[in-house]
Amino acid sequence: MDTAQFWHLVDQARDRVSDLDDAEAVAKEAQALFSGLPVGDITAADQVFWQLMADSFQDSLWAAAYVINGGCSDDGFDYFRGWLILQGRERFEQALRDPDSLATWPIVVQAAEAESELECGSALVMTSRAFTAVTGGEIPACDAIVYPDADPDGEWSFEFDDVDEMNRRLPKLSGLFEY
């Protein structure tokens, strides 16, 4: 199981749900797909998932999640990134390159209108639950994953409650959510 295969399974899970905006349903389908894999592939999928979580550990994305969800704790940021992974590779990579581009996604626009949060805690456990379903045991820890500095250049070292700074850095999202 490599990153491309992981993304393929996420796409398959998305193809199986009737409502693509239902991240919990996508996570459930992904878990079912992971459960059909050999044990080694489930463990490898878990490694890929947590590497993607590490890759998305960026203060600029955290700021976007803060605007979208009306605040964002450490756990909330994990749930947001789990949701983001379930949106598929293209959207995931776009959000990492330009977090403000999230404002153009229909699901984000709908969340602004409905004042709902975008997160999926089930994404964080879909591979471990698949492993347990297949083996009855717990999935081995991902010791090889190293989280980077979320803001290596210090460009985002300000309080996310700073409305002027957020409006300047994330103008589309700030406008959409009337931040």
Side-chain angles (χ1 to χ4, degrees):
M1 169 73 55
D2 62 16
T3 304
Q5 292 167 317
F6 177 89
W7 285 121
H8 179 72
L9 282 173
V10 169
D11 288 342
Q12 283 184 308
R14 290 178 59 76
D15 288 343
R16 290 180 171 201
V17 299
S18 60
D19 181 4
L20 289 175
D21 294 343
D22 185 351
E24 293 292 332
V26 176
K28 184 177 179 180
E29 288 298 327
Q31 179 181 324
L33 289 168
F34 291 129
S35 295
L37 298 174
V39 172
D41 285 347
I42 300 170
T43 303
D46 188 60
Q47 291 282 329
V48 170
F49 176 82
W50 288 105
Q51 184 60 57
L52 293 171
M53 289 290 287
D55 294 346
S56 61
F57 189 74
Q58 302 172 359
D59 276 354
S60 57
L61 188 61
W62 200 333
Y66 192 92
V67 172
I68 291 168
N69 288 340
C72 191
S73 67
D74 294 356
D75 288 345
F77 188 43
D78 285 346
Y79 304 149
F80 176 82
R81 289 179 294 140
W83 167 84
L84 184 60
I85 289 167
L86 294 177
Q87 301 309 300
R89 183 179 202 158
E90 184 177 321
R91 283 190 161 186
F92 176 82
E93 291 175 353
Q94 177 188 18
L96 268 56
R97 283 189 310 273
D98 179 14
D100 204 32
S101 70
L102 288 159
T104 65
W105 298 8
I107 189 171
V108 176
V109 172
Q110 292 168 1
E113 292 168 356
E115 298 181 10
S116 60
E117 294 184 357
L118 297 175
E119 58 184 24
C120 185
S122 297
L124 279 59
V125 294
M126 59 191 181
T127 51
S128 62
R129 286 182 177 166
F131 186 90
T132 300
V134 171
T135 68
E138 290 188 28
I139 198 161
C142 298
D143 295 330
I145 307 299
V146 177
Y147 272 71
D149 182 341
D151 186 21
D153 301 325
E155 294 178 27
W156 290 83
S157 60
F158 63 91
E159 294 295 322
F160 292 162
D161 287 330
D162 184 336
V163 174
D164 292 335
E165 195 64 27
M166 290 294 257
N167 284 330
R168 185 178 76 74
R169 291 173 183 258
L170 298 169
K172 294 175 192 169
L173 280 172
S174 295
L176 180 62
F177 286 87
E178 298 178 10
Y179 189 76

